[in-house]
């Protein structure tokens, strides 16, 4: 593919315009699927112009994440920690689903961007007030990472759904044959594999239900650990 011609001095092109175009590509596909050449083609410039205005793909991904989370406001600071994290995670979920790949980027790089730091600071403060003490960092990571991982897995499944039609009946028949003599495999097939494999609306509902399960279970587990004073620590395990 030849590079798109660019106007002299790229009149009117700014870093903000480049980043907005990258955000649009992310919303149309995923953060990790478009290339610098794709972005340059959309803007009608050479890839070298993108480097000049913003940088390479790694830096562009960071700017997209910052742009996406600039749309998000952390929950009110006065909320009790469980309510605070429910509001955070149930707000982040739909946002990350609209911009696939953002959750994976945060898992890989952490919440160290200008627009994610406010939520990080507020979340740490909420857990500190609740009495998590030296476990505060672990608690925050468990809550946020479990949610982001669930979203990231959903992103990957959606990419497979978008690849084109699949022989669903044949695939499910193979699953059922494998699971025939395994109660565990039968349970997983019916609860997870079948609804996710259906794709479209059924898969979307399954993803939402599983996301809620992960969020609520993580919160409940941490609440139980906090109530017990973390007495069931690794030192007490056999």
């Amino acid at each position: 593919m030849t590079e798109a011609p660019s106007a002299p001095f790229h009149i009117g092109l700014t870093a903000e315009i480049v980043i907005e175009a990258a955000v649009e590509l992310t919303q149309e596909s995923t953060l990790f699927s478009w290339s610098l050449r794709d972005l340059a083609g959309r803007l009608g410039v050479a890839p070298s112009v993108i480097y000049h205005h913003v940088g390479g793909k790694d830096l562009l991904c960071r700017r997209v994440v910052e742009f996406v989370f600039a749309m998000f406001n952390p929950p009110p600071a006065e909320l009790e920690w469980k309510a605070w994290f429910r509001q955070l995670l149930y707000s982040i979920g739909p946002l990350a689903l609209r911009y696939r790949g953002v959750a994976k980027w945060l898992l890989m790089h952490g919440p160290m961007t200008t627009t994610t730091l406010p939520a990080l600071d507020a979340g740490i403060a909420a857990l500190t007030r609740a009495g998590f003490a030296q476990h505060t960092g672990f608690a925050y990571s468990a809550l946020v990472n479990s949610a982001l991982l669930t979203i990231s897995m959903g992103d990957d499944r959606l990419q497979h759904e978008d690849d084109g039609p699949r022989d669903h009946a044949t695939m499910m028949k193979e699953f059922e044959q494998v699971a025939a003599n395994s109660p565990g495999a039968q349970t997983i097939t019916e609860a997870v594999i079948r609804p996710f494999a259906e794709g479209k609306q059924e898969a979307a509902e399954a993803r939402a239900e599983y996301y809620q399960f992960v969020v609520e279970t993580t919160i409940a587990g941490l609440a139980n650990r906090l109530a017990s004073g973390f007495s069931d620590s690794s030192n007490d395990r056999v």
Side-chain angles (χ1 to χ4, degrees), residues 74 84 111-112 116-129 136 140:
W84 193 95
M112 304 302 179
T116 54
L117 283 177
L120 170 62
D121 290 340
I124 291 294
L127 294 170
T128 300
R129 290 194 305 271
T136 295
Y140 184 93

Side-chain angles (χ1 to χ4, degrees), residues 89-90 92-94 96-97 99-108 141-159 161 192 196 203-219:
L89 298 176
Y90 288 131
I92 283 179
L97 281 174
Y99 301 94
R100 287 186 279 159
V102 166
K104 179 180 280 189
W105 191 96
L106 286 168
L107 282 169
M108 293 168 59
S141 296
L143 285 158
V144 175
N145 288 350
S146 59
L148 291 176
L149 182 59
T150 303
I151 295 167
S152 182
M153 290 167 58
D155 289 346
D156 290 340
R157 288 192 181 100
L158 281 168
Q159 279 189 276
E161 285 180 25
V192 181
F196 277 105
E205 291 172 359
R207 280 191 290 272
E209 184 178 2
Y210 181 65
Y211 184 74
Q212 181 180 11
F213 182 88
V214 168
V215 168
E216 294 301 329
T217 301
T218 307
I219 289 174

Side-chain angles (χ1 to χ4, degrees), residues 58-101:
D58 288 345
L59 189 54
L60 273 163
C61 286
R62 182 183 185 87
R63 297 293 177 256
V64 169
V65 173
E66 289 175 342
F67 186 100
V68 169
F69 277 90
M71 308 175 195
F72 175 77
N73 293 315
E78 65 272 13
L79 286 179
E80 179 264 351
W81 76 271
K82 295 190 291 294
W84 193 95
F85 276 94
R86 283 191 177 97
Q87 187 167 327
L88 174 83
L89 298 176
Y90 288 131
S91 298
I92 283 179
L95 185 64
L97 281 174
R98 291 211 320 263
Y99 301 94
R100 287 186 279 159

